[in-house]
Amino acid sequence: MNQRSAQPRDDAAASLTLDPASTQPPFEQIKASVVAGRLSGALPAGHRLPPVRHLAGELGLAVNTVARAYRELEADGIIETRGRGGSFVTGVDAAQSALDAAAIDYAARARDLGFGTAEAIAALQRASRP
């Protein structure tokens, strides 16, 4: 598998990787890589992520692609941005960690079956009805 990766500046975290052969857009792959690192402990709470421009350069992506991933990760509470201070991984509790891991598995399975996000969410909503 041909993957591109970037090491954060402090080398304390696992690499963020992309699979160019994947049907998943690069910004989604970045998000999944950060979430997986957070869940596994490879990206512990408080870990500083590489700056957007640095990561974009390392991965050979447009700055806006990485910025979108960071914005969405922040909206989901996975990271927090402290202005010019950088972006940092937030803490996670065990229950949330388990739920996030299940969501990652579910999203990957839905993609493998050829379904998009809207269809996967609709299936989850149907399954959640009493």
Side-chain angles (χ1 to χ4, degrees), residues 61-117:
L61 297 173
V63 172
N64 286 338
T65 300
V66 176
R68 178 177 179 182
Y70 278 27
R71 278 192 309 274
E72 291 188 13
L73 286 164
E74 185 168 25
D76 292 342
I78 306 298
I79 68 171
E80 65 179 351
T81 300
R82 302 175 190 161
R84 295 177 77 63
S87 297
F88 298 84
V89 176
T90 61
V92 63
D93 64 39
Q96 185 65 50
S97 178
L99 180 61
D100 289 346
I104 289 169
D105 292 342
Y106 176 68
R109 180 71 174 136
R111 276 191 307 277
D112 290 345
L113 292 170
F115 293 100
T117 303

Side-chain angles (χ1 to χ4, degrees), residues 16-19 22-36 59 61 64-70 72-73 76 103-104 107-108 111 116-118 121:
L16 300 174
T17 60
L18 292 182
D19 178 2
S22 175
T23 59
Q24 188 179 32
F27 80 93
E28 289 287 353
Q29 291 185 55
I30 293 169
K31 288 173 51 181
S33 187
V34 171
V35 169
L59 296 175
L61 297 173
N64 286 338
T65 300
V66 176
R68 178 177 179 182
Y70 278 27
E72 291 188 13
L73 286 164
D76 292 342
I104 289 169
R111 276 191 307 277
T117 303
I121 291 171

